[in-house]
Amino acid sequence: MSKNYGSSKYCYKVAIAVDQLFNTLMAGWPDETLSSRAYRCAHLTDCIKKRWVIAEKVINSIFFWQPQHCYQAYLSEQERNHLPS
């Protein structure tokens, strides 16, 4: 690990990768987090399913310190913030 690549940033990137893997295993898009998918499926699809509305509420409550976590994750995906610069 390089000097400029701190362990907290490394752990964050590993967490994102695990999240994306879990989402992919649940038949989601491979490069999308579960939080982003929950927001997208709860608000932006033609056929909104109750399970995604519930999933979004559960995920947002887990990340209670981040207001509108799923929406922010969706915006982050749209802006491609998790990709290297």
Side-chain angles (χ1 to χ4, degrees), residues 9-34:
K9 190 165 189 155
Y10 174 78
C11 291
Y12 173 76
K13 289 183 180 282
V14 168
I16 295 288
V18 170
D19 189 351
Q20 290 174 337
L21 174 63
F22 185 67
N23 181 54
T24 303
L25 293 172
M26 293 179 53
W29 296 342
D31 193 36
E32 183 178 39
T33 63
L34 192 57

Side-chain angles (χ1 to χ4, degrees), residues 1-3 8 10-11 29 37 44 48 51 65 71:
M1 198 175 331
S2 74
K3 294 178 184 177
S8 64
Y10 174 78
C11 291
W29 296 342
R37 181 181 179 194
L44 304 176
I48 294 172
R51 69 177 173 238
W65 65 92
Y71 175 66

Side-chain angles (χ1 to χ4, degrees), residues 37-57:
R37 181 181 179 194
Y39 176 81
R40 182 176 53 78
C41 291
H43 298 278
L44 304 176
T45 60
D46 293 334
C47 182
I48 294 172
K49 301 218 185 290
K50 186 176 180 179
R51 69 177 173 238
W52 289 111
V53 173
I54 293 168
E56 180 191 22
K57 288 179 182 181

